[in-house]
Amino acid sequence: MEFKMFCYQCSQAANGVGCTLAGVCGKGPTLARLQDNLIYTIKGISAYYYHARELGYKDEEIAAFLGRALYSTLTNMDFDPEHFVELALEAGRMNIKVMKLLKKAHIETYGEPAPVEVETGTRKGHAIIVTGHNLKALEELLKQTEGKNINVYTHSEMLPAHGYPGLRKYKHLAGNLGKAWFDQRELFERIPAAILGTTNCVLIPRESYKDRMFTTGVAKLPGVTHIDGYDYTPVIEKALSLPELEEKPGDHKLMTGFSKSVVLQLADKIKDLVERGKIRHFFLVGGCDTPLKKGSYYREFVQKLPKDTVVLTLACGKFRFNDLDLGDIEGIPRLIDLGQCNDAIVAVEIVEGLAKLFNVDINDLPLTLVLTWMEQKAVAILFSLFALGMKGMYIGPALPAWVNDEILTVLQKNFDIKFIGNPEEDIKTILGV
């Protein structure tokens, strides 16, 4: 990759303050944006590494990279834009390593995920809603609430917890309430439950439910009780003090729990369906959802896909469309939920498995990635895909904040990045119809 428009002289540019030659050369901000991108990626890797360490899994190479990469962003440390591109791709490769580590930690602790239908209504009884990504926090809460007439519900990125046999064995893991992270204020206000926020994506609560919300781990909110460690007695006591929820079935069920082994066990059947023209194309549609109106693109996109296509999905972006009944193709589900954002490694391994199955390069597969919101942890995954050489990805619903015209030009040139437009037109372009 080549960045020609760069200021190597302005120390302020490296700090993101702005170039002292602004209006003369206009080159400094690109370096600052590349550093911002690296910091976003480091945040993503750190989040996944934190959860792996919670379960006792460590890797010195990952820890060393995090220190080195973050150190490189200090003011007056490094003015070489090409180096930051190399670091970003190295970070992408390191993110693959940390996602594999976390996957190993989850599977060895909770078992291999298996497909399961998840209820979206409520059961009779007291209730706790758990939001975030932290499976260990959920497990500890499930242990402590057994036999107490308390039902535990997941929200947003906790939905995939239902696929793990080590968590699904708790019969009071009752279902999933709500959708993506940004619906929590309305959801938590409406349902009289105790709430446990376990990671990022928690929002400052409304006064109407602040007294029944708790945080744990790295998540903290102003005016909200924080619990260090895993003794959730205050959450349990609050749940028992609240009215019981009524029995109210949901209007649909959600499917989750499609692990790598589950999908690749179907490899021969998938190959046969592709060769017979029954499956024309695979789409990976997902990522981190955002409360922008244009986010409706993803639901419309999936709704308009031909019936001879299969959709893989992950992260909270799936809540735009995972209530849809897409049916199946001779027993192969048309909508396959692979899990949390960190389960992007499952998608990567499935794609690599399909490439091996068809004896082609990953970019020659009948596969298109349609991704949403490239910030925070999602940018770590984006650069993992770049590091793997993935090309032709569609992203949206807005241009990532760390991208300027120069960075965009480089990404388009090297990775054929595209931006979502009209769902129907994008589908025609992808399928060549």
Side-chain angles (χ1 to χ4, degrees):
M1 299 184 205
E2 184 178 359
F3 288 89
K4 296 180 179 178
M5 300 272 302
F6 254 99
C7 176
Y8 293 84
Q9 305 300 321
C10 178
S11 62
Q12 288 179 313
N15 199 28
V17 175
C19 183
T20 55
L21 301 178
V24 179
C25 71
K27 301 173 185 177
T30 297
L31 181 57
R33 285 171 181 264
L34 287 171
Q35 290 181 323
D36 288 344
N37 161 67
L38 181 60
I39 290 171
Y40 277 129
T41 308
I42 291 169
K43 288 180 179 181
I45 297 169
S46 299
Y48 301 145
Y49 192 48
Y50 175 89
H51 293 307
R53 283 175 57 88
E54 270 192 309
L55 296 172
Y57 291 74
K58 301 177 182 179
D59 188 296
E60 180 55 34
E61 185 183 9
I62 295 169
F65 173 80
L66 288 170
R68 175 167 59 87
L70 187 58
Y71 189 26
S72 73
T73 65
L74 286 180
T75 307
N76 298 335
M77 179 66 72
D78 188 339
F79 296 106
D80 182 2
E82 301 295 340
H83 183 226
F84 278 103
V85 174
E86 293 167 6
L87 271 176
L89 292 173
E90 185 180 355
R93 290 187 288 271
M94 201 59 59
N95 189 57
I96 291 171
K97 187 177 181 70
V98 77
M99 288 192 297
K100 286 183 177 180
L101 182 69
L102 182 54
K103 176 191 169 189
K104 176 181 171 71
H106 282 162
I107 289 176
E108 291 186 356
T109 304
Y110 306 117
E112 182 90 13
V116 62
E117 281 190 331
V118 181
E119 298 286 345
T120 57
T122 57
R123 295 181 189 172
K124 177 72 173 175
H126 300 288
I128 299 173
I129 303 173
V130 184
T131 189
H133 306 75
N134 192 323
L135 299 188
K136 180 173 176 60
L138 176 63
E139 180 195 28
E140 294 301 325
L141 180 66
L142 287 168
K143 289 178 182 177
Q144 295 169 39
T145 49
E146 275 194 296
K148 290 185 167 62
N149 189 31
I150 296 175
N151 294 311
V152 176
Y153 300 87
T154 57
H155 171 251
S156 194
E157 283 273 65
M158 292 301 290
L159 168 65
H162 294 266
Y164 290 92
L167 298 174
R168 192 169 62 247
K169 70 181 181 182
Y170 295 95
K171 301 306 180 185
H172 59 299
L173 181 60
N176 188 84
L177 301 178
K179 296 190 175 185
W181 59 273
F182 54 84
D183 78 350
Q184 60 189 264
R185 287 194 176 115
E186 183 276 329
L187 176 73
F188 297 165
E189 184 174 58
R190 176 168 51 87
I191 299 178
I195 306 145
L196 182 63
T198 67
T199 56
N200 64 310
C201 299
V202 288
L203 297 175
I204 294 176
R206 294 174 178 173
E207 289 296 327
S208 56
Y209 64 84
K210 182 186 289 187
D211 68 320
R212 50 188 174 87
M213 185 163 189
F214 302 82
T215 56
T216 190
V218 297
K220 291 186 178 182
L221 293 168
V224 169
T225 300
H226 181 76
I227 297 173
D228 289 317
Y230 302 100
D231 181 356
Y232 297 125
T233 300
V235 187
I236 294 168
E237 290 175 347
K238 175 58 70 173
L240 291 172
S241 73
L242 296 168
E244 293 187 6
L245 300 188
E246 297 300 319
E247 188 81 22
K248 187 178 180 181
D251 56 7
H252 64 277
K253 295 180 181 180
L254 301 174
M255 285 291 297
T256 191
F258 289 90
S259 63
K260 169 192 171 184
S261 63
V262 168
V263 175
L264 292 185
Q265 281 174 6
L266 303 170
D268 290 339
K269 186 170 186 177
I270 290 171
K271 184 177 182 182
D272 175 63
L273 290 171
V274 171
E275 290 175 344
R276 290 196 287 123
K278 297 295 184 178
I279 295 179
R280 184 185 355 176
H281 205 84
F282 296 89
F283 291 88
L284 175 60
V285 186
C288 295
D289 200 3
T290 175
L292 298 176
K293 287 185 178 180
K294 200 171 181 181
S296 61
Y297 168 95
Y298 296 90
R299 183 179 184 86
E300 187 177 349
F301 183 92
V302 171
Q303 284 178 313
K304 290 182 179 295
L305 286 174
K307 293 184 178 180
D308 57 358
T309 61
V310 173
V311 178
L312 307 172
T313 190
L314 50 79
C316 66
K318 63 176 167 275
F319 283 101
R320 288 284 179 173
F321 51 81
N322 66 344
D323 60 323
L324 297 174
D325 182 3
L326 300 185
D328 65 88
I329 303 173
E330 295 188 15
I332 302 296
R334 288 195 57 230
L335 182 59
I336 299 175
D337 178 9
L338 303 177
Q340 295 182 331
C341 55
N342 49 277
D343 291 313
I345 190 59
V346 178
V348 166
E349 291 172 343
I350 288 172
V351 168
E352 291 175 335
L354 291 175
K356 183 178 181 181
L357 180 69
F358 290 102
N359 195 29
V360 298
D361 181 81
I362 54 175
N363 289 305
D364 294 324
L365 284 169
L367 168 73
T368 302
L369 278 60
V370 185
L371 308 177
T372 174
W373 197 25
M374 291 297 108
E375 302 291 356
Q376 300 188 59
K377 285 183 283 186
V379 78
I381 295 170
L382 180 66
F383 271 84
S384 292
L385 298 172
F386 288 156
L388 290 168
M390 294 290 293
K391 295 183 178 181
M393 294 178 282
Y394 284 70
I395 65 172
L399 187 71
W402 46 269
V403 172
N404 63 6
D405 289 343
E406 187 179 12
I407 294 173
L408 177 59
T409 298
V410 170
L411 293 180
Q412 289 176 326
K413 177 182 177 182
N414 288 275
F415 302 107
D416 192 25
I417 278 287
K418 307 174 191 295
F419 291 97
I420 62 172
N422 174 276
E424 193 166 354
E425 292 303 315
D426 287 349
I427 291 170
K428 288 180 179 178
T429 298
I430 293 166
L431 297 179
V433 295

